[in-house]
Amino acid sequence: MVIALIVNHEEFHSYVTSRGAALLRVAHQLTGNPSDAEDLLQAALVKTFLAWDRIKDRSSLDGYVRRVMVNINISSWRRRKIEEYPSDELPDVPAQGDSRQHYDDLERALDRLPTRQRTAIVLRYYEDMTEPEIARTLGISVGTVKSSVSRGMAKLRGDLLVLAEGPGHTS
């Protein structure tokens, strides 16, 4: 029993070492916040470690951990009050920069999306999941997935257009 636990521990450690950065990026896309992403990934890895012996197909580990992260994230939405409210005013626009700046702009624009829209977009475009897969994962209807992705993409386009025009742009 002890030898099996040590082997499992080493195998799990190897998995986390090799895939941790990629999983953290997914967690960040789901939460929109680096410290929340770390907490989410840590909680998902604890659950994964506890289920390690029951996971027979090691090639599906990334999918398993992503699913655990999504489930934990959904549970946290359901427990907390609404903290985001729509606003008629756009936040201050940062100055334009290099390609890293464009990536940072996209990250900030994603962070401004409501949680469900951000999660649906991340699962659709970053994880390449189909709308029915997203609906099953999030426990919502396909129509809700479509509207969440559509509204989120419209908001992203608007935010990124404003960022591209820069602070000195006048209409």
Side-chain angles (χ1 to χ4, degrees), residues 147-164:
S147 64
S148 295
V149 169
S150 175
R151 289 181 184 134
M153 290 301 292
K155 184 163 179 20
L156 279 177
R157 284 184 195 101
D159 283 357
L160 293 174
L161 180 63
V162 169
L163 291 171

Side-chain angles (χ1 to χ4, degrees), residues 8-25 41 45 52 61-62 65:
N8 287 343
H9 176 63
E10 290 172 359
E11 187 181 11
F12 180 77
H13 182 269
S14 175
Y15 170 73
V16 172
T17 302
S18 67
R19 298 298 300 150
L23 293 169
L24 183 59
R25 284 191 298 274
L41 179 57
L45 290 175
W52 194 254
L61 283 170
D62 281 0
V65 175

Side-chain angles (χ1 to χ4, degrees), residues 29-30 77 114-127 129-130 134 138 140 144-150:
Q29 293 302 323
L30 289 171
W77 299 345
T115 305
R116 181 180 285 174
Q117 288 177 4
R118 179 176 55 244
T119 301
I121 287 172
V122 167
L123 293 176
R124 179 70 184 102
Y125 296 106
Y126 283 76
E127 294 301 317
M129 291 174 72
T130 65
I134 296 168
L138 299 180
I140 57 178
T144 302
V145 171
K146 289 179 180 183
S147 64
S148 295
V149 169
S150 175

